[in-house]
Amino acid sequence: MKKLLVFFGVLSLLLTSVSCKKKSQAQTNGQPVEKEAVVYFCKEITPENILKLYEAMGVKQEGKIGLKVHFGEEGNQNFLNPELLRPLVEKVHPTFVETNVLYVSKRRFTDSHIALAKEHGFTFAPIDILDSEDDADGLCYDATGLKHFTKIKTGSHFANYDAYIVYSHFKGHGSAGFGGAIKNVSMGFASPGGKMAMHSSNIPAVKKGSSCVHCQRCVQQCPANAITLTDFGPVIDSSKCLGCAKCIAECGLGIFGQGDRAQGEDFLERLVEYAKVFCEKKPMVFINVMDKISKSCDCSAMAPAPFMDPIGAVASTDIVAVDYVCHLLTAMKQKTEDAFLDVNGVSGLAQIKYAEKLGMGTTKFVLIDVTTGQRISLEDALK
Ligand code: SF4
Ligand code: SF4
């Protein structure tokens, strides 16, 4: 009986991996995806299970593989422990890849960025900052049929890889609601010029009647010198602002918030359009980890503490499904409709819906427990 169960578990994995390969082809033609995506899940977030998730997808990645990670801002305490990646790195021999950021930080310049990555424990694979040799724009791809862009800008090293593993920490983000695979691909692969292009419509609002204590933190952290403090609180110079949302994350009194709602959704559409082009240029698979889930992202020097317990990790060849499952699981865990709308005032679900509309993937999925090979429900995943 036990042998039979193992046989059906293995058969189920084989069938779902065939389905993944079909799905992966469907993603590249820009048409809406009708098949269900397969999303693999593990509850225990361990190095061995991260490798199992990768292998379960059944995708043979060959040649030069980039492992897209986030090294964590200096002072950030929530970024994922790199040791989770060690077995995957030993098996696949990828290069850790990242791009430089827009704002004032060690991650702005290649040398200090790499030094910080090593300080944070990313020592067991080569590191490549994809835009390390570029001007602000870097490598430009022509884009057609998009609402916001005709050009997509990335680091020139992006073209040097045959395939990518996109490894994302699923957590909150001040402007995007949450950051998962879509945001890791879009903002994570964009050159500084690309990052600016996505942020350009995203100027924060200053809450009226705010109780600013003139601590100067927002002024010091603003990469564009766009904030002036007056007796009535901060004022943003919109002609300078990059829309990076650092001030939203940095002010402990919550004095900065999203600009008007339309601008917020505009930003999410921009993220998705960048991700779409990158996904079309290179084969990618996606692993999301739901651990240390704070309202803010790993770019924050002092991110707020996690507000929910770890849930597990998921993997899929479908970028929409992998983020959607995380969105659902985090909402169910918090017994609400959208855990990040509650804490950030923005629903990241708009990223998912727009990505599905653009044919990048599907919100229809089956969930497979990678440790048993059995199909499970979202409720099972949270038990
Ligand atoms: S970080 Fe907040 S409290 Fe401090 S100066 Fe800026 S707006 Fe005022
Ligand atoms: S979003 Fe805030 S921190 Fe970023 S550039 Fe604009 S004012 Fe400065």
Side-chain angles (χ1 to χ4, degrees), residues 3 31-32 40 44-45 51 67 84 87 115-116 129 149 156 184 235 256 264 291 294 310-311 320-321 326 354 370 374:
K3 278 186 182 166
Q31 299 300 313
Y40 297 92
E44 302 300 327
I45 305 169
L51 175 59
L67 175 52
L84 287 170
L116 180 66
I129 304 296
F149 300 109
S156 59
N184 195 12
V235 174
F256 299 94
D291 188 14
S294 166
I311 294 175
V320 174
C326 293
Y354 190 55
V370 78
Q374 300 299 309

Side-chain angles (χ1 to χ4, degrees), residues 64-68 92-97 125-128 161 164:
K64 196 170 174 187
I65 312 296
L67 175 52
K68 174 67 185 70
V92 182
H93 305 292
T95 299
F96 291 133
V97 298
I127 294 174
D128 185 5
Y161 292 84
Y164 285 100

Side-chain angles (χ1 to χ4, degrees), residues 2 6 16 49 64 66 94-95 120 125 135 137 185 189 226 237-238 244 246 248-249 269:
K2 198 174 168 191
V6 170
T16 47
N49 279 347
K64 196 170 174 187
T95 299
H120 283 181
D135 58 14
D137 281 352
V185 170
F189 281 126
D237 181 341
S238 59
C244 69
K246 269 217 128 187
I248 299 176
E269 288 181 359

